[in-house]
Amino acid sequence: MDSPLCSIIVPIYNSAIDLVPCLESIKRQKYENLEILLVNDGSSDSSLEICRMYARLDPRIIIIDKENSGVSGTRNIAIERATGKYLQFVDSDDYLDVNATRLMVEEMEAHQSDLLICNYCSVSRSERMQVFGFLPPDTLLDKAHFARYLMEEPASFYYGVMWNKLYRRDIIMEHDIRCNEEFTWSEDMLFNLEYIRYAETFYSMRTPVYYYVRQKKGSLSAQVSPAKIITTKASLFKYYKQLYIDLGLYEQYKLQIYAYLVAAAKDM
């Protein structure tokens, strides 16, 4: 099988305390045809120096240093710069299994899917680990079936985040899909809803290859107020509704879509 280029995008902001395990896990991937985009979002700690150290050790690493604008703008700059067939996103305080990219690309290529979504491990600071995933494992789904499963857990990290997925860059570029820089919470979910609109096939991978570290130091999600959650969900609701109208599935899933407003993620 050919080994298409995969672009791994890592937005970085004051992540020095957790950055080395993250970058080590990327550098050690068994899949070697990578470009690794480290985007420093105006960090005031030693994050940029750590990135430069790794860039000297690995020619696949590209550093983008920019003024602080938030994670959405940071990801968007990397999306514009990336050249891989596939895009993979990693948060700078999380880490990957050594086989993560290899397995994701192999499954994407084997099934010619438009989006791959994998189970992931939620890791506490005490190293306690729990695996999450809501789709039938190792299954190729069409859009209608994927939309049905999505409505069973509309607020979950599994569907909402960008880091447990592999995307086709051509779909993103053709339809000008970007992270909305007006959102400071749940911006991943909006990106995914836009991507789902244009994707036709979805593959669920059983193997958990991403390690999401909970209770992150300085985590934005830990600082989001209930009022912010409510207003953001209200904004996202209209995107959910429009997607299902466009799919011709709104009447069938109307109650579940409204339930999103009060749903809580079960997989944090």
Side-chain angles (χ1 to χ4, degrees):
M1 184 184 76
D2 292 336
S3 299
L5 181 66
C6 181
S7 301
I8 298 183
I9 292 171
V10 188
I12 297 165
Y13 177 70
N14 289 346
S15 304
I17 192 171
D18 298 302
L19 190 54
V20 169
C22 174
L23 297 185
E24 280 293 320
S25 76
I26 296 171
K27 181 175 178 290
R28 295 177 180 178
Q29 286 300 297
K30 295 297 185 182
Y31 192 86
E32 296 184 354
N33 194 17
L34 303 175
E35 67 173 7
I36 304 166
L37 300 164
L38 308 182
V39 193
N40 180 51
D41 187 28
S43 297
S44 57
D45 64 2
S46 58
S47 293
L48 182 58
E49 287 71 24
I50 293 172
C51 291
R52 287 171 174 163
M53 177 187 72
Y54 272 87
R56 288 193 291 270
L57 299 172
D58 193 330
R60 301 173 300 175
I61 291 177
I62 299 166
I63 296 176
I64 302 171
D65 187 24
K66 56 182 281 294
E67 293 184 0
N68 180 257
S69 66
V71 67
S72 291
T74 302
R75 283 175 174 154
N76 287 341
I77 286 176
I79 288 171
E80 294 287 348
R81 181 74 178 270
T83 61
K85 179 178 181 179
Y86 299 117
L87 299 188
Q88 180 181 3
F89 294 86
V90 179
D91 282 359
S92 59
D93 41 9
D94 296 335
Y95 56 97
L96 299 174
D97 181 270
V98 69
N99 290 302
T101 306
R102 179 184 65 81
L103 291 174
M104 293 172 81
V105 171
E106 285 180 357
E107 296 290 11
M108 198 82 153
E109 288 284 291
H111 300 281
Q112 291 297 293
S113 57
D114 295 332
L115 178 69
L116 180 143
I117 179 169
C118 67
N119 292 354
Y120 68 92
C121 298
S122 179
V123 185
S124 69
R125 287 293 183 185
S126 63
E127 299 301 317
R128 183 180 177 183
M129 195 173 298
Q130 189 173 3
V131 176
F132 289 101
F134 295 114
L135 285 172
D138 299 330
T139 303
L140 186 66
L141 301 166
D142 62 21
K143 188 178 299 193
H145 284 90
F146 181 83
R148 176 169 67 85
Y149 285 109
L150 172 58
M151 278 298 97
E152 292 178 0
E153 295 290 343
S156 75
F157 271 30
Y158 178 74
Y159 294 111
V161 298
M162 297 169 69
W163 38 252
N164 68 328
K165 299 173 179 67
L166 197 65
Y167 302 87
R168 280 178 43 189
R169 181 177 170 271
D170 60 344
I171 291 177
I172 291 173
M173 302 308 291
E174 179 181 353
H175 300 286
D176 198 26
I177 304 168
R178 298 293 186 276
C179 297
N180 190 319
E181 298 184 30
E182 295 180 3
F183 279 61
T184 57
W185 180 75
S186 277
E187 64 281 345
D188 294 27
M189 175 64 85
L190 180 54
F191 182 93
N192 287 334
L193 290 176
E194 286 296 303
Y195 190 91
I196 291 166
R197 183 183 300 276
Y198 302 107
E200 296 298 332
T201 56
F202 305 80
Y203 187 77
S204 63
M205 191 174 85
R206 178 200 302 264
T207 309
V209 293
Y210 191 96
Y211 294 86
Y212 164 72
V213 181
R214 298 169 54 195
Q215 302 169 347
K216 300 171 184 177
K217 188 177 180 66
S219 170
L220 176 62
S221 61
Q223 303 170 16
V224 178
S225 68
K228 182 68 173 178
I229 292 173
I230 292 170
T231 56
T232 301
K233 278 199 165 190
S235 297
L236 282 171
F237 169 77
K238 65 181 180 181
Y239 291 98
Y240 253 126
K241 180 178 179 180
Q242 190 59 53
L243 173 63
Y244 278 75
I245 289 174
D246 293 345
L247 294 176
L249 298 171
Y250 176 67
E251 291 301 323
Q252 183 178 351
Y253 294 108
K254 180 164 57 177
L255 293 179
Q256 292 96 319
I257 294 170
Y258 276 91
Y260 164 73
L261 292 171
V262 295
K266 297 179 181 178
D267 52 344
M268 295 176 65

